[in-house]
Structures are given as C-alpha cells and as structure tokens.
Amino acid sequence: MCDMDNTSNTTNPPAVRGHVGIAHHSGEPLAPDDPRVAFLRAAQTAQAVVGTVERTDEQRPTPCAGWTVTDLVRHVVAVFDRVVAAPSGADLAAMPTMASVEVGTAADAIGDRLPAIHAAWEDPARLEQLIEAPWGPTPGGVCLQVWAGELLMHTWDLSVSIGVSVDWPEPDVSMALEGSIASLPPERPAAEIPFDDAVAIADDAPTIERLVAWVGRNPADPIRV
C-alpha cells in the first residue's frame, strides 16, 4: 500500500504499448473459493506484468504519489515476502516495504518466492490461523484475500504506469472489490487510513477500475507525481 496525496500533480500515462495475457494455473485442485487460488492468480498476474517492465520504465511516475516504477516493483516483491513469512509468526509490520531487488530480475524473484508460499500455506489449517497482520490479528485466509487485492491494485498501478493492458482474473477482482467496500469507508481521514477517499465511477465500469477507484485511484487520470 502507498500513501496517496490529493495535492500531487498529475501527468498523463504512456500510450498503451502492448497486452499481457495470463494463462492462469493453480496446481493441485482446490475449491474455487479457496483464498489460496485467488492469491495465486493475483500473483501470476503481478509476475507477468512485472516481467514486461523495461529499463526505460524504471523512473516513470505511478499512481502511488512519490513512487517510481522501481519503487512499486520492489514493493510488490515485498508483498510476497510478507506472505511467505506470515504463518511463521514473523513481525510483518517490521519487514521492509520494498524488497532489495533489481527491476530486471524482479519477475524471477517473484517466481523464486512462489514455492516458499506454497509450502507456507499448504496446510489448510493456515487459513484459520490468526496472523499478526499490520492491521491487527486476522485469520490467514482473510489475510490472503487482502494480499490478493493489494497485488491486483498494485499490478493495475504498474500497468497504467508502463502502458500495458492486462487480462484481469475474474471473479478475483470482484471478490477484492467486495472486500474493499466492506473494509474501507468511502471517506478516509489521512491520519488513520493510507488511501485517498473513494473516487466516484460508473457502476458499469470495468471491475478492475471500480476496485482501484474505491481505494482512491482515479482511472481517468491515474498518474501522481
């Protein structure tokens, strides 16, 4: 997550330069509503988009005010580090918000973390385990849903920053939207919640745009500098 600043200047995102299609796979069969499935699909989407970042993109601004593409990519990788560590009882709030990775190797770094995530969350009892999340003790399955939504949000941030369109994994985006509406009020005091107020958007807008609008992005004018 990143602090948003309503006073920031904006700049136009780059023209769309390509499309990222994702052949999602979930390994061993799990129930469709298992949060591990939603997280894995979000992880695959994030990895695919991170893998399209070019060296010339690294200093581009993003929808996260004050963050460059490099910052955003490193933050995405840090989300995976939290997911690996969460079931062990690690102090997640003390972990770095940005991983020490180079942008050119970040997609491989995500791939390297996926087996560790599988091992950490293979036992279904982990879904009921209370995790000491930065926002308070939370069942593991709910934490995975939150992190899946965070990955989707930041993958959208990255996609508009570098100019790629994406095949978004439904119904995971809808699930993330429902969770965001349930957990985030439309108006957010800056000192209490690190997101801008929800942005008004048409009810028939694409689900991914409704998701990012609810967490304070403006899909019509997303880049903040």
Side-chain angles (χ1 to χ4, degrees):
M1 301 178 187
C2 62
D3 279 328
M4 301 291 289
D5 179 359
N6 278 321
T7 64
S8 296
N9 296 321
T10 61
T11 187
N12 292 328
V16 175
R17 71 180 185 209
H19 178 80
V20 176
I22 299 96
H24 293 107
H25 54 87
S26 57
E28 294 184 9
L30 294 171
D33 61 349
D34 190 307
R36 292 172 292 184
V37 175
F39 180 83
L40 178 58
R41 284 194 292 253
Q44 291 168 347
T45 303
Q47 183 183 24
V49 174
V50 166
T52 70
V53 176
E54 300 174 356
R55 180 171 293 277
T56 53
D57 296 324
E58 292 181 358
Q59 297 307 310
R60 288 186 183 274
T62 73
C64 289
W67 282 16
T68 65
V69 164
T70 295
D71 297 329
L72 189 55
V73 167
R74 289 174 174 168
H75 179 68
V76 167
V77 177
V79 173
F80 287 89
D81 289 334
R82 281 175 169 75
V83 177
V84 172
S88 71
D91 184 353
L92 303 184
M95 294 181 68
T97 59
M98 295 184 189
S100 298
V101 296
E102 297 298 324
V103 169
T105 62
D108 289 338
I110 291 172
D112 290 343
R113 285 157 170 79
L114 291 179
I117 289 174
H118 176 79
W121 291 92
E122 184 175 15
D123 184 349
R126 298 296 195 190
L127 302 180
E128 304 299 328
Q129 174 185 336
L130 280 183
I131 301 294
E132 290 296 331
W135 56 86
T138 307
V142 176
C143 288
L144 284 180
Q145 290 175 331
V146 171
W147 284 317
E150 183 177 4
L151 284 182
L152 290 169
M153 176 184 71
H154 284 317
T155 302
W156 180 87
D157 290 337
L158 188 58
S159 73
V160 299
S161 301
I162 64 176
V164 299
S165 62
V166 180
D167 287 338
W168 299 103
E170 295 283 4
D172 304 328
V173 180
S174 295
M175 185 185 305
L177 173 61
E178 292 170 4
S180 295
I181 291 173
S183 60
L184 286 173
E187 297 180 357
R188 299 139 196 177
E192 299 176 15
I193 302 176
F195 294 103
D196 278 350
D197 292 347
V199 173
I201 192 171
D203 290 341
D204 60 353
T207 311
I208 187 65
E209 294 188 3
R210 293 170 59 208
L211 169 62
V212 300
W214 190 261
V215 294
R217 274 74 163 149
N218 183 351
D221 189 16
I223 304 299
R224 312 294 292 253
V225 295

